[in-house]
Amino acid sequence: MNQSRRVVWICMAAIIPLMAAMPLGAMDFDFDWHFSKGDFATAMMPAFDDSAWRMLDVPHDWSVEGPFRADYASGSGYAPAGIGWYRKHFKLDAANRGKLVVIEFDGVYHNSEVWINGHFVGRRPCGYSSFQYNLTRHVKFADDENVIAVRVDHTKFADSRWYTGSGIYRHVRLHISDRLHIGQWGVYVTTPEVSEDAATIRVETVVCNDHDRAVSLSLDSSVVAPDGKAVASLRQSASMDADAEQTFVSHIKIADPELWSLESPSMYMLRSALKAGEEVVQEVSTPFGIRTIAFDPDRGFFLNGKAVKLKGVCLHHDAGCLGAAVPDKVLERRLRLTKDLGANAIRTSHNPPAPELLDMCDRLGLLVKDEAFDEFTPPKNKWVAGWNAGQPSKFGYGEVFAEWSVRDMGDLVRRDRNHPCIIMWSIGNEIDYPNDPFSHPVLGNHYQREHPPAENLVKHAQPLIEAVRKWDRTRPVTAALASIDMSNAVGLPQLLDVVGYNYQEQHYEADHKTYPSRFIFGSENGDSYNAWVAVRDNDYVAGQFLWTGIDFLGEAGRWPNRASGAGLLDLCGFKKPIAWFRQSLWSDEPMVYLCVSGRPGRRGPGMGGAEHWNWPDGARVSVNCFTNCDEVSLALNGEALGMQRLSEARNGVLTWEVPFRPGVLKAAGRDAGREVCEFSLKTAGPATRIVLSPDATRLSADGKDVCHVEFQITDGQGVRVPDAAHEVTFDVDGPGRIIGIENGDLSSVDDPQDNTHKALQGRGLAIFQATREPGKVRLTARSHGLVAATTEIEIAANAR
């Protein structure tokens, strides 16, 4: 009997002891690539001479290396693109002869083509999809060298509404396994039954036999609790024909599960050990969480049976000066800063994220709306001369949507579906944006009949929704809709499980009445107080996702502006006043904050508030206060300026109008009459020195670990000088390098990856990366006329 594609249902089988952890068979393939921009007709051939090419490690983004120029596209931040080639030479141990050899890319932007030893193995147009290729037939062993070659074609640089980067900008791995193996993304874990007392874990495992003979096998599945102890295990046995694929389905029950939650993101581990006879040929470890999610059309979102308002932010994938090649610790810092504001959810705008982002959200306790596309077909407008200015280009993913979208959608779900942090699959962002490209008579005077009909939205959406449900039915399908009127007219929301509204708070109440079974949430929202009130005061609105959590490259105005300032945090990750305001609305931790406007009577975080106490003598200023405390008292140089209660706030803001006097302005927050927090602004004197604040002083010698070094220009008392714009140069003595310097300036076109950069508002951020060599690093920051600063960092083996 041919067992190909057979589904095997097995509940509890014989209990076996937990096996010792074994290597996963994955080799880090990030190091020692040869790279060159330009096109080369024979660069895929092993004999091609790449000795003069640049040596580098991936992730790598050549676009952020510049130079940025006005003749590139504003949509993608005026960054260069073009064609680039990567080549890597490697050898395989003779002991691996006969094994399966697979290369895996987490993301290559874009239109990548891959060769091994001159043999073409595949192409992937989408720059955000993860993919792998089987190299087995063409690799060599022992002393024979192999060459993997990757061509990246980003010739159409005006192909996005935001910064994309160019190149192999995510991680690469080489997998070596037996030809009897678990398939790509072949372990699928769900928890169909969950209570406080017990949980049922459903495991679906795809096993592939690429041998030319039948094989007798066993699959041992063990569940490891968050404390590292095995809580259950089972064995399944079968015989597989040659060149067959078989799906094993099992149910494992455990008692007293630790639920994954925002407050306690407990993670379990499924260890799958595949045996041929008595030999373990592969072990795969799959992290997962036990939790329940539900959406109620009247009461919103529930996690583990508890109502939770989604306090979300949208995040693009770049990190300012680093472009799209973002080290893991940089990504984690950005997520932690976001969570510190009180956010509990992330939207991956508007593309599949790096896999490690989801790992971090699992670990940190952040919910995720996992999004696939920004457009269907034809492509949207891509602005070239500034946002909504001039003649747009029409390049983009829409050119390959018909051929690739269902596969890309399915691959996203298969790759990510074991993450408990994910609560929604989004098939698109603003795919219904009026006249970009679809139109409909419901738009009235804005209807443009020459545009594709909005009915095509339904035609394109249906296969994507089917692709999601084919691979995962445990989470709802959604889309971020920009024109709910047009989408309602063609029936698009009726296809979705949960409906996202972008900047359309005015429709919540009417649509809740008209469509009483519809699940509604804000999929993209402005940061205004009223937009939050629409969520806070209506149980049926599940939450909101602010545009955006952090400033991002691209979606820019006219040159030299190359980044969007829509974020709560700037490109460095420094909090803007609007971030403190959002923290006052979202966070449960007591907080108080002050910012000042030189224009009395102007209220609110978006009204020019500045975080300093340096103003003209005698000037009358407005002091804005953001807090979640019951009341706040304000004092200047110890003299009380009055107390206000939060209940007196206008649009969430307390305001005092006071005459400026140099010194210390202090706010004290009180709850139940007790002081619980404070915040001060101090007048700064002349700039005298540089101060360095590293977030780590010991790094791992792995070539990847990073340290964020904040630099400030201060006066003699250590107060940051708010208008200091000194040029700061970093000198590195030891095994490491500066990989980027950022100051948050949206219009800076200086090289972001050299060792010199100006401060903005008296500060900036340098990102230092360790090499693979242990040692001591001495990092010195100097600037003309200022006292230099030095910090030391130890680079050690196994420091993590």
Side-chain angles (χ1 to χ4, degrees), residues 186-200:
V187 180
Y188 177 33
V189 183
T190 57
T191 54
E193 298 176 6
V194 178
S195 69
E196 292 184 1
D197 300 325
T200 298

Side-chain angles (χ1 to χ4, degrees), residues 376 427 456-467 492 495:
F376 287 174
I427 62 171
N456 285 0
L457 289 166
V458 172
K459 181 180 74 172
H460 297 322
Q462 283 176 325
L464 301 181
I465 295 170
E466 292 170 3
L492 178 58
L495 299 179

